[in-house]
Structure formats: structure tokens, C-alpha cells
Amino acid sequence: RKCDVVNRGISGYNTRWAKLILPRLITENTSADSVVAVTIFFGANDSALKDLNPKQHVPLEEYAANLKSMIQYLKSVDITEDRIILITPPPLQESAWEKACLAKGDKLNRCNATTGEYAQACVQVSRDCGTDVLDLWTLMQKNQDFSSYLSDGLHLSTKGNSFLAAQLWSRLEKKLSALPSLLPYWRDVDHTNPEASLL
């Protein structure tokens, strides 16, 4: 009841492509005052191994530069860094992802250690640029087997999406708490005369 969630998840994309289309997704005409938060969640495709997946791979330094470029663009349309949340790639469960690759006739084209380097670069960009960051790569591996967070070793499972949502909510809650409710809580609607409450 406080705001709309606009999802622009684009399967298979990397930061090289995302920085090019960002001005189409959030235009100069976007009312920056109405934007509470923007999340930037890339790295799983960028960190693909160059020799085995050259189409999606983006070198580490370019990945960091692309994230900075996206942050700069958002700032140019008056979305300040305190409203930007970077999300690192999640960890990679190599044996499960290798099975998925082999089923498609491919070799294992990613590794968790490399994904971790991209996650660290994402965290560093957030420090350099003054944005918030959700270090999913580290949080998911903290004192636990993270395989249940992934459906195929790479993509988030239902449990993984719930984990991400809970972590993200802790960062969004503060930003949203000051916003007024656009509609009343259901218990506050006069059921005998809903027009009086809703119009």
C-alpha cells in the first residue's frame, strides 16, 4: 500500500548490456522524487569463464566500471546513492551447475571462486560510490550449505528468493517506513460503506 515494485529482471544479461539499456528502463523523465530505491543485481553472468562462455563474460575491471557507470547514470537523473542498493551475485554450487551444463552439451562454464571475486568487486564499488550493498555471495555461504538456495546451482530457488527478499527487506524497511500508506489497512475499511474509506 505504500509503493509499486517495478521489476526489470532480464534473463542472461550482463552489466555490459545492462548499462546500455538502463536509460530506457529509467528515463530522464522519471520522477526521481517518487523513487524510493533502485536495486542493481548483476555478476552471475559477467563472471562466466571467458574461454567457456565468451558471450556473457565481462572482465572483472569492466564489471566494476559498468556498475559505477550505472550508478552515475542514476545520479544524473537525480536518484541519489542513498537510494541505490547493489546486490552481489549469489554463490555458485558447481556440481549442480555442471550437471545443468552437461545436460545442454556444455562444460562447466563458471566457478564459485571467480564469482566471489565479482562479489568482492561489487562490494568495493558500493564503498567507492557510497551506495548500500547486499553481499548475497557471502551471506548465503555463512555457516551453512547454500545449495538449497539454488534451483540448478546458479539460479535462485524459491528458498533462495525468500532469503534474498528477507535480506533486501531489512534494507528497504527504513526507506519505506516514513512513506504514507496510499490505501487503508483492510481492518480500517468500513465494510458497510467501502466508498467512504476508499474513495
Side-chain angles (χ1 to χ4, degrees), residues 1-4 33-34 36 173-185:
R1 280 186 289 275
K2 291 192 169 192
C3 59
D4 296 321
D33 292 345
S34 68
V36 177
E173 200 168 17
K174 287 175 263 176
K175 299 177 190 307
L176 293 169
S177 61
L179 293 181
S181 285
L182 303 174
L183 293 165
Y185 182 57

Side-chain angles (χ1 to χ4, degrees), residues 43-53 57 89-95 97-98 101 107-119 137 141 146 153-154:
N45 295 320
D46 298 69
S47 65
L49 302 174
K50 183 181 181 181
D51 52 339
L52 293 169
N53 188 347
H57 170 79
L92 179 80
Q93 215 286 320
E94 292 175 21
S95 59
W97 183 240
E98 185 172 29
C101 290
K107 293 179 181 172
L108 177 65
N109 57 20
R110 290 166 168 80
C111 74
N112 193 38
T114 302
T115 304
E117 292 173 10
Y118 282 70
W137 190 85
Q141 294 182 87
F146 63 90
L154 173 67

Side-chain angles (χ1 to χ4, degrees), residues 15-89:
T15 56
R16 184 181 289 159
W17 305 339
K19 79 171 187 178
L20 296 175
I21 63 164
L22 182 59
R24 230 189 300 173
L25 304 178
I26 299 177
T27 67
E28 290 182 14
N29 299 327
T30 301
S31 173
D33 292 345
S34 68
V35 176
V36 177
V38 175
T39 60
I40 300 175
F41 185 13
F42 286 96
N45 295 320
D46 298 69
S47 65
L49 302 174
K50 183 181 181 181
D51 52 339
L52 293 169
N53 188 347
K55 185 166 185 165
Q56 290 178 304
H57 170 79
V58 172
L60 187 62
E61 298 75 21
E62 184 188 341
Y63 166 73
N66 290 341
L67 289 177
K68 287 180 180 177
S69 174
M70 286 189 267
I71 292 166
Q72 283 308 120
Y73 172 74
L74 292 173
K75 287 171 66 177
S76 79
V77 296
D78 297 324
I79 297 171
T80 50
E81 51 271 279
D82 61 309
R83 290 183 280 169
I84 300 169
I85 304 170
L86 299 185
I87 305 174
T88 74

